[in-house]
Amino acid sequence: MDLAAAPPALLTRRHLHVAGDWVDPSSGDTIPVENPATGSIVGEVPAGTPADVARAVAAARAAFPGWAATAPEQRAAHLDRLHTALAARADEIARTVATELGTPLKLATRVQAGLPLTVLRSIVDLAARPAAEYTVGNSLVVREPVGVVGAITPWNYPLHQVVAKVAPALAAGCTVVLKPSELTPLTAYLLFDAITDAGLPPGVVNLVPGTGPVVGEALAAHPDVDLVSFTGSTATGRRIAHLAAERIARVSLELGGKSANVILADADVPTAVKVGVGNALLNSGQTCTAWTRMLVHRDRYAEALDLVAAVVAGYRLGDPFDPATRLGPLASAAQARRVRDHVDRALADGARLVAGGPDAPLPPQGHFVAPTVFADVHPDSALAQEEVFGPVLAVIPFADTDEAVAVANNSRYGLAGAVWSADSDAALAVARRMRTGQVDVNGGAFNPLAPFGGYKQSGLGRELGAYGVEEFTELKAIQR
Ligand code: NAD
């Protein structure tokens, strides 16, 4: 079935998921869901209220003692059933993300549906292990679930960002209330269809869709939420941290980035450029870890710029359901406008346009922005400092390794990055000097067991793997 062509009724959801049931919302207000490739409305979901949040938090609180006391292997068995139920929906998930976010279907299948399944599988395996206990002097140190988790997620990877919170929280023995992004709520509903099929105990995971200022703030401020786990913009993360600080609740924040891809003089430049451009443009550049600053040694700069322009020219914009499409639209009109403003500002700041730009041809409808590359970008300029969250790459030359490291670290963010060199020890040495939570050396592959998160204003805490499960625990020392 092609969901882009499906009648809107098929994509309309009318309930919240609370205490194991699909329940009526407290208000009749709804939020429309748009297909950003066409601008047409494809469905709607309830606009949750603080009363809905209170009901869902109460359900999660009631379910907490039972779930926390459930044996790890039983929790793992629940998550395993959830994996099976979700895998059965992989095609529907990919099509829904392609429809409500605009990710090209091929990429949506591999990343938007495939990645969360990989992450969930890794957490199933971790969940089966009891939390490690150890002895220090006369103390027995144990880990316990932190309690009720409020999870607030963005639109760019609408299932992955949810699974990266919900699965480790459940594995740790916590219960959850989820507020997905209002731009991409339909994908979250598919997770709850799978949760229903998997027969998770009532109240262990609850869903309240709605806007950030209403449902998100009510969840972050709720006195019975023990930890707020948030992924999204740094500005919203700051607001959530303030709300949680009022009651000294814990927060886990996965925020923005401005990651550097450092290409040393002896690197395999064609590979570094091809992979680097692919990373920067992934999901139309709406990826928090995107390597949006390409730093190239002056000896290879001209060669790299020619290659960048050639690689970008191969990206075709268009209908996410067309197999030839490499780049879909931006998620919303507002996002496309923000990205275009960044492009205009970079031009005004004197950056040299190498590809794309405001006059590049675009599909006739939808929130498209052409993949755009600027060269000679000043490391202090707005384009090098601000997260664009669109298909815009800044290329910056450097003279030596010390300058490369200084420019890479000249950012208020510190989420990800990359280094390329024929000398893997030299690349590793640069990776160690970069102030970021992740660095890929010579195209090192994504590892779902590795800690994921940021330094500086890219966030607090870590997701994924054993580190992600620990994030949802408290430490207790018992003296004997
Ligand atoms: P956003 O901050 O606008 O929204 C994220 C979520 O927060 C949404 O569910 C939204 O409804 C909610 N929200 C908005 N205002 C709120 C408020 N006042 N109180 C509580 N909740 C509120 O971000 P976005 O536009 O959805 O996502 C894009 C941003 O997310 C980018 O900056 C990107 O870098 C970041 N991001 C970071 C990571 C990461 O892992 N570090 C991953 C993906 C996205």
Short mmCIF file of all heavy atoms in Angstrom, two decimals, residues 152-156 161 179-182 210-213 216-217 230-234 236 239-240 254-257 288 387 389 415 452 458, ligand 1:
data_model
loop_
_atom_site.label_atom_id
_atom_site.label_comp_id
_atom_site.label_asym_id
_atom_site.label_seq_id
_atom_site.Cartn_x
_atom_site.Cartn_y
_atom_site.Cartn_z
N ILE A 152 10.69 12.74 25.80
CA ILE A 152 10.23 13.77 24.85
C ILE A 152 11.17 13.70 23.65
O ILE A 152 12.39 13.81 23.80
CB ILE A 152 10.28 15.17 25.50
CG1 ILE A 152 9.40 15.19 26.76
CG2 ILE A 152 9.83 16.24 24.51
CD1 ILE A 152 9.46 16.49 27.55
N THR A 153 10.60 13.49 22.46
CA THR A 153 11.45 13.14 21.29
C THR A 153 11.18 14.05 20.09
O THR A 153 10.11 14.62 19.96
CB THR A 153 11.22 11.67 20.90
OG1 THR A 153 9.82 11.47 20.68
CG2 THR A 153 11.72 10.72 21.97
N PRO A 154 12.18 14.16 19.19
CA PRO A 154 12.07 15.03 18.02
C PRO A 154 11.55 14.27 16.80
O PRO A 154 11.26 13.07 16.87
CB PRO A 154 13.50 15.47 17.81
CG PRO A 154 14.31 14.28 18.17
CD PRO A 154 13.55 13.56 19.27
N TRP A 155 11.51 14.99 15.67
CA TRP A 155 10.89 14.43 14.46
C TRP A 155 11.90 13.81 13.50
O TRP A 155 11.51 13.14 12.56
CB TRP A 155 10.11 15.53 13.72
CG TRP A 155 10.81 16.85 13.67
CD1 TRP A 155 10.57 17.92 14.49
CD2 TRP A 155 11.87 17.26 12.80
NE1 TRP A 155 11.43 18.95 14.18
CE2 TRP A 155 12.24 18.58 13.15
CE3 TRP A 155 12.55 16.64 11.75
CZ2 TRP A 155 13.25 19.29 12.50
CZ3 TRP A 155 13.57 17.34 11.09
CH2 TRP A 155 13.90 18.64 11.48
N ASN A 156 13.20 14.04 13.68
CA ASN A 156 14.12 13.71 12.58
C ASN A 156 14.34 12.21 12.40
O ASN A 156 14.56 11.75 11.28
CB ASN A 156 15.43 14.48 12.72
CG ASN A 156 16.15 14.18 14.01
OD1 ASN A 156 15.55 13.69 14.96
ND2 ASN A 156 17.43 14.48 14.05
N GLN A 161 14.65 7.69 17.86
CA GLN A 161 14.83 8.50 19.07
C GLN A 161 13.95 8.00 20.20
O GLN A 161 14.31 8.12 21.38
CB GLN A 161 14.50 9.98 18.79
CG GLN A 161 15.18 10.59 17.59
CD GLN A 161 16.67 10.81 17.78
OE1 GLN A 161 17.24 10.37 18.76
NE2 GLN A 161 17.31 11.47 16.84
N LYS A 179 6.09 11.50 24.96
CA LYS A 179 5.50 12.55 24.11
C LYS A 179 6.35 12.66 22.85
O LYS A 179 7.45 13.22 22.85
CB LYS A 179 5.48 13.92 24.81
CG LYS A 179 4.61 14.90 23.99
CD LYS A 179 5.09 16.32 24.04
CE LYS A 179 6.09 16.71 23.02
NZ LYS A 179 5.62 16.81 21.63
N PRO A 180 5.85 12.13 21.74
CA PRO A 180 6.61 12.23 20.48
C PRO A 180 6.43 13.61 19.87
O PRO A 180 5.56 14.39 20.27
CB PRO A 180 5.95 11.16 19.60
CG PRO A 180 4.53 11.10 20.09
CD PRO A 180 4.56 11.43 21.55
N SER A 181 7.25 13.91 18.86
CA SER A 181 7.13 15.19 18.16
C SER A 181 5.75 15.31 17.50
O SER A 181 5.25 14.37 16.90
CB SER A 181 8.20 15.30 17.09
OG SER A 181 7.91 16.41 16.25
N GLU A 182 5.20 16.51 17.57
CA GLU A 182 3.90 16.76 16.94
C GLU A 182 4.00 16.74 15.41
O GLU A 182 2.99 16.66 14.73
CB GLU A 182 3.29 18.08 17.42
CG GLU A 182 4.17 19.32 17.27
CD GLU A 182 5.09 19.56 18.46
OE1 GLU A 182 5.80 18.62 18.87
OE2 GLU A 182 5.10 20.70 18.95
N GLY A 210 1.05 15.51 21.54
CA GLY A 210 0.68 16.91 21.78
C GLY A 210 1.84 17.83 21.48
O GLY A 210 2.90 17.39 21.02
N THR A 211 1.64 19.10 21.76
CA THR A 211 2.68 20.08 21.46
C THR A 211 3.69 20.15 22.60
O THR A 211 3.41 19.76 23.74
CB THR A 211 2.07 21.48 21.25
OG1 THR A 211 1.51 21.90 22.49
CG2 THR A 211 1.02 21.48 20.16
N GLY A 212 4.86 20.72 22.28
CA GLY A 212 5.89 20.88 23.30
C GLY A 212 5.47 21.78 24.44
O GLY A 212 5.56 21.39 25.62
N PRO A 213 4.99 22.99 24.13
CA PRO A 213 4.65 23.90 25.23
C PRO A 213 3.54 23.37 26.14
O PRO A 213 3.49 23.74 27.32
CB PRO A 213 4.19 25.17 24.49
CG PRO A 213 4.93 25.11 23.18
CD PRO A 213 4.98 23.65 22.82
N GLY A 216 4.68 18.65 26.48
CA GLY A 216 6.09 18.52 26.85
C GLY A 216 6.38 19.19 28.18
O GLY A 216 7.00 18.61 29.07
N GLU A 217 5.90 20.42 28.34
CA GLU A 217 6.17 21.14 29.60
C GLU A 217 5.46 20.46 30.78
O GLU A 217 6.02 20.37 31.87
CB GLU A 217 5.73 22.61 29.48
CG GLU A 217 6.54 23.35 28.44
CD GLU A 217 7.02 24.74 28.89
OE1 GLU A 217 6.73 25.15 30.02
OE2 GLU A 217 7.71 25.38 28.07
N PHE A 230 15.27 13.71 27.14
CA PHE A 230 14.86 14.59 26.04
C PHE A 230 15.86 14.52 24.90
O PHE A 230 17.07 14.55 25.12
CB PHE A 230 14.79 16.04 26.56
CG PHE A 230 14.63 17.06 25.47
CD1 PHE A 230 13.40 17.23 24.84
CD2 PHE A 230 15.70 17.84 25.06
CE1 PHE A 230 13.25 18.16 23.82
CE2 PHE A 230 15.56 18.78 24.04
CZ PHE A 230 14.33 18.94 23.42
N THR A 231 15.36 14.48 23.68
CA THR A 231 16.19 14.70 22.50
C THR A 231 15.53 15.79 21.69
O THR A 231 14.32 15.74 21.41
CB THR A 231 16.32 13.42 21.65
OG1 THR A 231 16.96 12.42 22.43
CG2 THR A 231 17.14 13.67 20.39
N GLY A 232 16.33 16.79 21.30
CA GLY A 232 15.80 17.88 20.50
C GLY A 232 16.77 19.04 20.50
O GLY A 232 17.98 18.84 20.65
N SER A 233 16.24 20.23 20.36
CA SER A 233 17.11 21.40 20.21
C SER A 233 17.71 21.80 21.56
O SER A 233 17.14 21.53 22.63
CB SER A 233 16.32 22.56 19.62
OG SER A 233 15.29 22.92 20.51
N THR A 234 18.82 22.50 21.49
CA THR A 234 19.49 22.95 22.72
C THR A 234 18.59 23.94 23.47
O THR A 234 18.53 23.91 24.71
CB THR A 234 20.86 23.56 22.37
OG1 THR A 234 21.65 22.50 21.80
CG2 THR A 234 21.58 24.11 23.59
N THR A 236 15.29 24.02 23.65
CA THR A 236 14.25 23.31 24.40
C THR A 236 14.88 22.51 25.54
O THR A 236 14.30 22.43 26.64
CB THR A 236 13.46 22.37 23.45
OG1 THR A 236 12.96 23.14 22.37
CG2 THR A 236 12.30 21.71 24.17
N ARG A 239 15.21 24.70 28.48
CA ARG A 239 13.91 24.93 29.13
C ARG A 239 13.52 23.72 30.00
O ARG A 239 13.05 23.86 31.12
CB ARG A 239 12.85 25.19 28.04
CG ARG A 239 11.44 25.26 28.52
CD ARG A 239 11.15 26.55 29.28
NE ARG A 239 9.81 26.54 29.83
CZ ARG A 239 9.52 27.01 31.05
NH1 ARG A 239 10.44 27.54 31.81
NH2 ARG A 239 8.28 26.97 31.48
N ILE A 240 13.74 22.53 29.46
CA ILE A 240 13.39 21.30 30.20
C ILE A 240 14.27 21.17 31.44
O ILE A 240 13.79 20.82 32.52
CB ILE A 240 13.49 20.09 29.25
CG1 ILE A 240 12.25 20.10 28.35
CG2 ILE A 240 13.61 18.78 30.02
CD1 ILE A 240 12.27 19.10 27.23
N GLU A 254 19.87 15.00 24.88
CA GLU A 254 20.58 14.78 23.61
C GLU A 254 20.21 15.95 22.71
O GLU A 254 19.08 16.04 22.25
CB GLU A 254 20.15 13.46 22.96
CG GLU A 254 20.44 12.22 23.78
CD GLU A 254 21.93 11.92 23.91
OE1 GLU A 254 22.73 12.52 23.17
OE2 GLU A 254 22.28 11.11 24.78
N LEU A 255 21.18 16.85 22.47
CA LEU A 255 20.82 18.13 21.85
C LEU A 255 21.47 18.30 20.48
O LEU A 255 21.71 17.33 19.78
CB LEU A 255 21.19 19.26 22.82
CG LEU A 255 20.62 19.07 24.24
CD1 LEU A 255 21.10 20.16 25.18
CD2 LEU A 255 19.10 19.00 24.23
N GLY A 256 21.76 19.51 20.13
CA GLY A 256 22.23 19.79 18.77
C GLY A 256 23.71 19.50 18.56
O GLY A 256 24.40 19.04 19.47
N GLY A 257 24.18 19.75 17.33
CA GLY A 257 25.59 19.51 17.03
C GLY A 257 26.06 20.38 15.86
O GLY A 257 25.24 20.98 15.14
N CYS A 288 21.35 15.01 13.95
CA CYS A 288 22.08 15.78 14.97
C CYS A 288 23.58 15.56 14.88
O CYS A 288 24.35 16.46 15.18
CB CYS A 288 21.57 15.42 16.35
SG CYS A 288 21.54 13.66 16.64
N GLU A 387 23.88 25.43 14.32
CA GLU A 387 23.32 24.23 13.72
C GLU A 387 22.27 24.63 12.69
O GLU A 387 21.31 25.33 13.03
CB GLU A 387 22.69 23.35 14.80
CG GLU A 387 22.19 22.05 14.25
CD GLU A 387 21.55 21.18 15.31
OE1 GLU A 387 20.63 21.67 15.99
OE2 GLU A 387 21.96 20.03 15.45
N PHE A 389 20.66 22.31 10.52
CA PHE A 389 19.67 21.23 10.44
C PHE A 389 18.97 21.20 9.08
O PHE A 389 17.75 21.19 8.96
CB PHE A 389 18.65 21.35 11.58
CG PHE A 389 18.44 20.04 12.29
CD1 PHE A 389 19.50 19.35 12.85
CD2 PHE A 389 17.17 19.47 12.40
CE1 PHE A 389 19.33 18.14 13.50
CE2 PHE A 389 16.98 18.25 13.04
CZ PHE A 389 18.06 17.59 13.60
N LEU A 415 29.12 16.95 19.72
CA LEU A 415 28.36 15.69 19.63
C LEU A 415 29.13 14.60 18.90
O LEU A 415 29.27 13.49 19.40
CB LEU A 415 27.02 15.96 18.93
CG LEU A 415 26.03 14.80 18.93
CD1 LEU A 415 25.75 14.32 20.35
CD2 LEU A 415 24.72 15.20 18.27
N PHE A 452 26.39 7.04 23.32
CA PHE A 452 26.04 8.10 22.36
C PHE A 452 25.59 9.31 23.16
O PHE A 452 24.66 9.23 23.96
CB PHE A 452 24.91 7.62 21.45
CG PHE A 452 24.49 8.67 20.45
CD1 PHE A 452 25.08 8.73 19.21
CD2 PHE A 452 23.52 9.60 20.79
CE1 PHE A 452 24.71 9.72 18.31
CE2 PHE A 452 23.15 10.59 19.89
CZ PHE A 452 23.75 10.64 18.64
N SER A 458 25.94 20.05 23.57
CA SER A 458 25.27 18.94 22.87
C SER A 458 24.55 18.01 23.83
O SER A 458 23.86 17.10 23.38
CB SER A 458 26.27 18.15 22.03
OG SER A 458 26.64 18.91 20.89
P1 NAD B 1 12.58 20.71 19.45
O1 NAD B 1 13.46 20.99 20.60
O2 NAD B 1 11.80 21.81 18.88
O3 NAD B 1 11.51 19.59 19.82
C1 NAD B 1 11.86 18.35 20.36
C2 NAD B 1 10.73 17.85 21.20
O4 NAD B 1 10.55 18.73 22.30
C3 NAD B 1 9.38 17.79 20.47
O5 NAD B 1 8.67 16.67 20.94
C4 NAD B 1 8.71 19.08 20.94
O6 NAD B 1 7.30 19.01 20.92
C5 NAD B 1 9.21 19.17 22.36
N1 NAD B 1 9.17 20.52 22.92
C6 NAD B 1 9.24 21.71 22.25
N2 NAD B 1 9.15 22.73 23.12
C7 NAD B 1 9.04 22.19 24.36
C8 NAD B 1 8.94 22.72 25.67
N3 NAD B 1 8.90 24.04 25.88
N4 NAD B 1 8.87 21.87 26.72
C9 NAD B 1 8.90 20.54 26.52
N5 NAD B 1 8.99 19.96 25.30
C10 NAD B 1 9.06 20.78 24.23
O7 NAD B 1 13.52 20.00 18.41
P2 NAD B 1 13.11 19.45 16.98
O8 NAD B 1 12.95 20.64 16.10
O9 NAD B 1 11.99 18.48 17.10
O10 NAD B 1 14.41 18.61 16.60
C11 NAD B 1 15.51 19.20 16.03
C12 NAD B 1 16.62 19.40 17.06
O11 NAD B 1 16.87 18.20 17.76
C13 NAD B 1 17.94 19.75 16.44
O12 NAD B 1 18.51 20.81 17.18
C14 NAD B 1 18.78 18.50 16.59
O13 NAD B 1 20.14 18.69 16.65
C15 NAD B 1 18.26 17.93 17.83
N6 NAD B 1 18.49 16.50 17.87
C16 NAD B 1 19.45 16.00 18.71
C17 NAD B 1 19.72 14.64 18.75
C18 NAD B 1 20.76 14.06 19.65
O14 NAD B 1 20.74 12.86 19.87
N7 NAD B 1 21.66 14.83 20.20
C19 NAD B 1 18.98 13.80 17.95
C20 NAD B 1 18.01 14.33 17.11
C21 NAD B 1 17.76 15.68 17.10
#
